[in-house]
Amino acid sequence: MQKLLFIIHAAPYGNESFFSGLRLALQIQEQHKSAVELKLFLMSDAVAGGLAKQNPAEGYHIQQMLEILTAQGAAVKLCKTCTNARGMTDLPLAEGVQIGTLAELADWSIEADKVFNF
């Protein structure tokens, strides 16, 4: 099984970097579900994408995309330092999303066969 790590820094809305990373993760999950283990770590402004109760006016829906990934077995964690800095640590998170630490990201990075940055 190939271990893939997606590190996303971009804000969830405003440009398409975050969206592009999730599109690729979903496509890999769909095409190779039994051959890959997906992990996503959201840092910087990307942590806002892990919040519950998102209601975008139009276009893509980051919360729904993350919930699809977690329902299919992907691990999704938000950087605790980043959520603390933004006052978000105690807010409700999307289904399956958890708060993570830099130590966990370090472990995930060492264990990963490939790392993607968005």
Side-chain angles (χ1 to χ4, degrees):
M1 179 162 298
Q2 191 166 34
K3 296 181 179 185
L4 306 179
L5 172 59
F6 285 72
I7 301 173
I8 301 177
H9 298 271
Y13 302 99
N15 71 52
E16 293 190 0
S17 294
F18 195 125
F19 176 61
S20 294
L22 292 186
R23 285 182 55 221
L24 178 57
L26 285 163
Q27 188 65 40
I28 290 170
Q29 184 84 336
E30 181 180 321
Q31 281 183 238
H32 306 283
K33 57 185 134 200
S34 62
V36 297
E37 176 185 309
L38 288 178
K39 294 183 178 181
L40 292 85
F41 198 90
L42 311 183
M43 302 184 79
S44 305
D45 288 337
V47 295
L51 292 175
K53 301 180 182 178
Q54 292 178 38
N55 189 18
E58 57 185 57
Y60 53 88
H61 197 297
I62 296 295
Q63 178 185 345
Q64 287 178 349
M65 295 173 80
L66 287 172
E67 289 175 345
I68 290 168
L69 283 164
T70 60
Q72 294 175 349
V76 177
K77 294 203 176 189
L78 309 180
C79 169
K80 184 175 183 177
T81 302
C82 303
T83 60
N84 284 344
R86 290 158 179 78
M88 298 171 34
T89 304
D90 296 325
L91 296 177
L93 302 178
E95 187 71 32
V97 174
Q98 301 175 334
I99 300 292
T101 65
L102 197 57
E104 288 175 295
L105 177 57
D107 288 341
W108 284 8
S109 298
I110 293 299
E111 296 164 359
D113 296 308
K114 291 183 183 168
V115 178
F116 300 88
N117 284 289
F118 288 90

